[in-house]
Amino acid sequence: MPDKIVKPDEEWRKQLTPDQYQVTRGKGTEPAFTGKYWNHHEDGTYSCVCCANPLFQSDTKFESGSGWPSFSAPVEPDSVATETDTTYGMRRVEVVCNKCGAHLGHVFEDGPKPTGLRYCMNSAALNFEKK
């Protein structure tokens, strides 16, 4: 993984829309079935909206029924990192961009084979580049 990106909060606020900032830097969640990529089916690569780090390929995207874009695996194992999230009285595994620390969503162990994982991401945390 290339060098980590660290910016002051005011720079992130200038770079991102209010929704992108709230999700990626404020660890927010967009409402289900509202993000631009939850029902998106083009071939290409999803990257971090903050730093352009490639995160997920469209061939790992699947319909989870959750209302958020869901993927079975990241582009590379070190594209993302995980952290324990105990907010809202739950114990979940948060997924962050391994390059800039942006909150992307959560990962669950109810995905398809072969990984069995469901990376449930926020559209506001992603950009998409068509193949």
Side-chain angles (χ1 to χ4, degrees), residues 10 26 36-37 76 97 121:
E10 58 271 7
K36 63 183 173 180
Y37 298 126
E76 298 290 337
C97 174
M121 303 293 97

Side-chain angles (χ1 to χ4, degrees), residues 16-29:
L16 304 168
T17 69
D19 287 341
Q20 290 169 336
Y21 178 85
Q22 199 275 331
V23 167
T24 61
R25 308 327 293 181
K27 298 184 183 263
T29 301

Side-chain angles (χ1 to χ4, degrees), residues 64-82:
S64 67
S66 67
W68 290 277
S70 297
F71 304 88
S72 59
V75 168
E76 298 290 337
D78 67 348
S79 294
V80 299
T82 58

Side-chain angles (χ1 to χ4, degrees), residues 27-49:
K27 298 184 183 263
T29 301
E30 64 198 9
F33 304 101
T34 63
K36 63 183 173 180
Y37 298 126
W38 79 269
N39 196 26
H40 185 252
H41 302 287
E42 292 184 273
D43 290 336
T45 304
Y46 295 86
S47 61
C48 178
V49 73

Side-chain angles (χ1 to χ4, degrees), residues 78-91:
D78 67 348
S79 294
V80 299
T82 58
E83 300 175 1
T84 301
D85 177 359
T86 58
T87 58
Y88 306 110
M90 297 181 276
R91 185 173 176 82

